[in-house]
Amino acid sequence: NEESYIGPCLDAIAAQTVAPLEVIIVDNNCSDDTLEVVSHYSFVTVLREKKQGQVFAQAKGFNYANGAILGRIDADTIIPKNWVASVLDNFDDEHTVAVTGPGVPYDVPMHRAGSAVFNFYHNTVARIFSGHQMLWGANFAMRSSAWNRVKNGLHMQRNIWEDYDLSFHLAAIGAIVFDKAMGVTCSFRAGHQSVPKQLEYQFRHIRTFRLHRGRLKTSALFFAWYTMIVLTPFAVIDRYLWLLRSVVGRMVLTVRR
């Protein structure tokens, strides 16, 4: 259910200096007005995946796509105008199988701090313990030939991070590149969940890591990753600020109507 996010996301795609070959949205049992919003964008192809979960939606889209380079972003991702061009430039190197970039949250009070924390854990801690760059599902691209090589070995589970699982498989066949020029803005909506839900979501990362690395390294990652627990008070404050902004936003919208 992405009706609040999908419009700006598609507007950013429409504004690209280099137009993508195709734009695919996977409807994973949407129950709000997302598809109504999408219907106003003629360049979009909508697929439907009844099996609930990002891992299944991701596979549906990648298997349908026709391009040599497959990009993936989330519905709340807003890409810069040169995103497609930057993606393509990275694949001039034949050894590159995938590329990813950073993100800055647009809906937290301290977005620079939020970006620094996100990039530290996902681009530094994860890289140190995995031994290679990890993909971020809201901002990456890969060769379709690489997808076809690894897709049958992926763990099709809802309780893991599908982008990290894909990263482990891709890193085994080529280089994953991090490109700052691919920086996007996005929602910090995962951080707007309750603390127990946030912790459960983060543990999916540990579960994913254990599928590919030994018990000792996974245990070490667990303790390193969960140092973010010190940020819990800030997450709680951000959650209530976000809820307050949401309520005020609905009140303003009602008054204006």
Side-chain angles (χ1 to χ4, degrees):
N1 293 334
E2 307 286 4
E3 63 179 348
S4 300
Y5 299 101
I6 196 65
C9 174
L10 292 175
D11 288 340
I13 293 174
Q16 291 296 291
T17 57
V18 176
L21 177 66
E22 56 189 346
V23 177
I24 299 168
I25 288 178
V26 180
D27 170 18
N28 199 199
N29 303 309
C30 177
S31 60
D32 66 357
D33 290 331
T34 300
L35 296 180
E36 168 61 26
V37 177
V38 171
S39 68
H40 298 287
Y41 296 84
S42 59
F43 57 84
V44 174
T45 297
V46 177
L47 306 179
R48 287 174 173 79
E49 173 55 59
K50 292 184 178 180
K51 201 166 185 178
Q52 191 66 41
Q54 287 181 312
V55 65
F56 306 112
Q58 172 180 266
K60 183 82 169 189
F62 285 153
N63 287 330
Y64 180 89
N66 295 303
I69 306 298
L70 309 178
R72 177 192 154 179
I73 59 175
D74 286 347
D76 60 292
T77 305
I78 299 179
I79 57 178
K81 291 183 178 181
N82 65 335
W83 190 85
V84 172
S86 296
V87 165
L88 295 176
D89 287 344
N90 279 284
F91 290 99
D92 288 341
D93 186 338
E94 62 181 9
H95 300 294
T96 299
V97 294
V99 61
T100 191
V104 176
Y106 53 66
D107 55 358
V108 295
M110 299 179 290
H111 62 274
R112 289 185 180 179
S115 177
V117 170
F118 174 86
N119 289 315
F120 172 72
Y121 282 98
H122 288 274
N123 295 324
T124 302
V125 175
R127 185 175 66 248
I128 289 172
F129 284 91
S130 67
H132 53 78
Q133 178 65 49
M134 302 299 282
L135 296 173
W136 174 37
N139 183 17
F140 80 84
M142 65 180 171
R143 296 186 188 275
S144 59
S145 56
W147 166 253
N148 288 327
R149 287 181 62 183
V150 305
K151 64 182 182 181
N152 291 329
L154 298 177
H155 296 86
M156 302 301 286
Q157 301 172 212
R158 290 179 57 183
N159 62 347
I160 64 172
W161 282 5
E162 78 290 339
D163 48 357
Y164 272 33
D165 183 49
L166 178 59
S167 301
F168 280 110
H169 286 87
L170 289 174
I173 64 172
I176 299 176
V177 175
F178 180 81
D179 183 7
K180 291 183 179 180
M182 284 176 56
V184 303
T185 57
C186 60
S187 170
F188 195 56
R189 51 186 175 174
H192 297 153
Q193 300 296 318
S194 66
V195 172
K197 286 185 177 181
Q198 290 186 52
L199 293 175
E200 186 280 327
Y201 176 74
Q202 294 299 328
F203 191 77
R204 296 182 190 181
H205 166 240
I206 308 301
R207 186 179 294 113
T208 308
F209 203 92
R210 183 65 183 92
L211 293 171
H212 299 274
R213 294 294 184 265
R215 183 176 299 175
L216 181 60
K217 184 167 283 190
T218 302
S219 298
L221 173 68
F222 174 85
F223 289 108
W225 197 262
Y226 274 84
T227 56
M228 69 172 66
I229 199 72
V230 300
L231 302 173
T232 299
F234 298 99
V236 172
I237 293 172
D238 173 71
R239 172 174 167 75
Y240 283 105
L241 287 175
W242 175 77
L243 290 172
L244 178 61
R245 288 195 299 271
S246 299
V247 171
V248 171
R250 286 195 294 269
M251 289 174 61
V252 171
L253 182 61
T254 301
V255 170
R256 287 180 178 174
R257 284 180 179 175

